[in-house]
Structures are given as C-alpha cells and as structure tokens.
Amino acid sequence: MDAFAGLLDGPRARNAYLLRTILDPPWSIRVEDRSPLTLLSVVRGEAWITPHGDQEQGHQAVQVGPGDTVVVVGPYPYVLADDPATPPDVIVYPGQRCTSLDGEPLAQKMSLGVRTWGKNADGETVILIGAYESLGEIGVRLLRALPRLVVLGADRWDCPYLPLLVAEMERDDPGQEAVLDRLIDLILVALLRAWFARPEAHPPAWYRAQADPIVGRALQLIHNNPQHPWTVAGLAAETGMSRAAFARRFTDLVGEPPMAFLTGWRLALAADQLRDPDATVGSVARKVGYGSPFALSVAFKRVHGVSPQAYRTSSSAAAR
C-alpha cells in the first residue's frame, strides 16, 4: 500500500446519498447539508457552482458542462444553479432534507422515480450527485490536501466508471446500495489521482514524497505495518540509509519527522477503528502499535482532546 492508497482507505462510502437531478431553467439550489465530501457530475446541460454560496464574499461561481466532474469539500454551503444570478428556490439541509424557501417538503413532490428528482423527466439539465454522509479521521487527512472545489473537465478526464454509475442508479436490485457505494469510491479515487497530476494542483508533501525511492519505501512500511515498533533507526535500516541522513531526507520531503508522521497515522487509524462498536480500546491499541490501552489513551487525548472512549461515544451519537 502506498501513502495515497493508505489515505484513500478512509473515505469509504456507506449508504452514500446518490441522486440524479433533472431540471429546467431557471433553477437554483442552495446546499447546506454539511456533507464532508460531495461528487457532482454533469450528464447533460450546464450548471454553475458557487462555493460557500455567496459571490458577494468573493467566492467566484464556476461553470461546468457535460462530462465535467466536481468534488465539493464541505461542510460549507454552496449554490448549484442554471445561472449565478438565479436566486435559490430550494434548500437542502443535513440528512438531505429538501424544502422550498418557505419550508415546504419537496422530496416526494419532486420525485421522478428511483434515485431521480426534479420537475421534468425530460429536463434540460441532468446532474449526478453523490454525497458522503461522514468521513473518518483518515478521510479528514485527505480533505486537508484539497481546495474547496476541485473541477475536472471532460477534456481532461475520461472516467470509465461514470457510465456504470448512471446505469446502476436506475436499478433497484438487492444489494444495490453496496454496488453504488463502491462505484462512487472508484470515481473519487480516479478523480483525485487525475487532479493531483494536474499542473495547477498542489499535492501535499506526503503525496510527492512517495515518488522518492527512499522516503516512498518508508511511507509504505508505515502504512502497511502501523503496529510494528518502528524507530527512526529501524526505518533507516530498511531503506539502506544512515539514521541521520534518513531522518533529514524524510523531514525535508514529507514536512514532518518520521515519528511525528507515524504518530499521526496511528492515531488516525485508531480514531476510525474506534467507530466500530465491537472494537475495544485494547484491541485498537494493539492494531495501531501501542503497547497498552493506557499508552493509546495518553497519545489520543493529547491530539484529540478527549479519551478514546469519549471519542467513541461522541462519534456514535453523531452517527445517529
């Protein structure tokens, strides 16, 4: 597993919100669902996306057309419209609750069939929307590497998974939710790989560092075996360098010392694993390289401000 694959292991869709939206101008939707990550793909027509939903605050609207795909990083609001000047007449709240401006529920009123919503089944604009309801700590580390809006035009990216998603969204077979979750994950991975390869992107240091034969090897070791009692000397020996030279090279390329990176990775893994109601603090501690529940608790509280058990309780409450 490389560093990129390791970080992408976090944002796994689980019953992601997926919808095909069909609209005729004029239309404008203000999205306030607080989703940490949303994928938008234009199938037909055109649309404008205004990050934060407020042009007056200096957030410029971006136009997208057929084949263009967008990642919107939350939890900030945004406006999706046929034209930036069209005022919103629909609001989407957390839990994907959709209403008119005066609060009238619209989910059933504008339903057009399986995972399809709008006013006209033959409408001018068709947009696929996939919203992740939550992301773990590993996913949060990924989001820090992205701008608020990532746009890949049809001329820059040809994703073979999008036609599959279009076809599968119209089906309602057993296990369909799992199929759709995996498809949206595949699209996200493909999109991020394509985005980080673009000259205008600013990949994080850990992404660039994986191309280095020495540091890339160390990152693989850390991601594949977080439970191993790694030391700087041990990682240096595995990569064939002296301890001092390895530590200097790792810090220069990744932006933080090897042990700091290892600790961050272990605690991100621990936070995600604590969301599993069947996992104990002791079992999580062993899986991420801490010798005891107490050792994990000390490190975890230093970073997250709460104990592992308190974190688990708050995460469970937020999920309900």
Coordinates of all heavy atoms in Angstrom, one line a residue, residues 19 52 63 69 97 116 127 190 199 205 242 265 269 274:
L19 N -28.2 10.7 -6.1 CA -29.4 11.2 -6.7 C -29.1 11.7 -8.1 O -28.0 12.4 -8.4 CB -29.9 12.4 -5.9 CG -31.3 12.9 -6.3 CD1 -32.4 11.9 -5.9 CD2 -31.6 14.2 -5.5
H52 N -19.4 28.2 -1.0 CA -19.9 29.0 0.1 C -21.2 29.7 -0.2 O -21.8 30.3 0.7 CB -18.9 30.0 0.6 CG -17.6 29.4 1.1 ND1 -17.4 29.2 2.5 CD2 -16.5 28.9 0.5 CE1 -16.2 28.6 2.7 NE2 -15.7 28.5 1.5
Q63 N -18.5 27.5 -13.9 CA -19.4 26.9 -14.8 C -18.9 25.5 -15.2 O -17.7 25.3 -15.4 CB -19.5 27.7 -16.1 CG -20.6 27.2 -17.0 CD -20.8 28.1 -18.3 OE1 -19.9 28.7 -18.7 NE2 -22.0 28.1 -18.8
T69 N -16.7 16.9 -13.9 CA -17.0 16.3 -12.6 C -16.3 17.2 -11.5 O -15.3 17.7 -11.8 CB -16.4 14.9 -12.5 OG1 -17.0 14.1 -13.5 CG2 -16.7 14.2 -11.2
R97 N -32.6 16.6 3.7 CA -33.9 17.1 3.8 C -34.1 18.3 2.8 O -33.3 19.3 3.0 CB -34.3 17.5 5.2 CG -35.7 18.0 5.4 CD -36.1 18.2 6.8 NE -35.3 19.2 7.5 CZ -35.6 20.5 7.5 NH1 -36.7 20.9 6.9 NH2 -34.8 21.4 8.1
T116 N -34.2 9.6 -8.6 CA -34.3 10.6 -9.6 C -35.2 11.7 -9.0 O -36.3 11.4 -8.5 CB -34.8 10.1 -10.9 OG1 -34.0 9.0 -11.4 CG2 -34.9 11.2 -11.9
I127 N -27.8 16.2 -13.6 CA -26.6 16.1 -12.8 C -26.7 15.0 -11.8 O -27.7 14.8 -11.1 CB -26.5 17.5 -12.0 CG1 -26.4 18.7 -12.9 CG2 -25.2 17.4 -11.1 CD1 -26.4 20.0 -12.2
A190 N -10.3 7.7 -8.8 CA -9.8 8.1 -10.1 C -9.7 9.6 -10.3 O -8.8 10.1 -10.9 CB -10.8 7.5 -11.2
P199 N -1.1 20.3 -13.4 CA -0.1 21.3 -13.1 C -0.6 22.3 -12.1 O 0.1 22.9 -11.3 CB 0.3 21.9 -14.4 CG -0.8 21.6 -15.4 CD -1.3 20.2 -14.9
A205 N 2.8 17.3 0.6 CA 4.2 16.8 0.6 C 4.2 15.3 0.6 O 5.1 14.7 0.0 CB 4.9 17.4 1.8
S242 N 21.7 5.9 6.6 CA 22.1 6.1 8.0 C 20.9 6.8 8.6 O 20.0 7.4 8.0 CB 23.3 7.0 8.1 OG 23.0 8.4 7.6
W265 N -0.5 9.0 11.8 CA -1.1 7.9 11.0 C -1.8 6.9 12.0 O -2.9 6.5 11.8 CB -0.1 7.2 10.1 CG -0.7 6.0 9.4 CD1 -0.3 4.7 9.6 CD2 -1.7 6.0 8.4 NE1 -1.0 3.9 8.7 CE2 -1.9 4.7 8.0 CE3 -2.4 7.0 7.8 CZ2 -2.8 4.4 7.0 CZ3 -3.4 6.7 6.8 CH2 -3.5 5.4 6.4
L269 N -5.8 6.1 12.3 CA -6.3 4.7 12.2 C -7.1 4.4 13.5 O -8.2 3.8 13.4 CB -5.2 3.7 12.1 CG -4.5 3.6 10.7 CD1 -3.3 2.7 10.8 CD2 -5.5 3.1 9.7
L274 N -12.2 3.1 16.3 CA -13.0 3.2 17.5 C -14.5 3.4 17.1 O -15.3 3.3 18.0 CB -12.5 4.4 18.3 CG -11.2 4.2 19.1 CD1 -10.7 5.6 19.6 CD2 -11.5 3.3 20.3

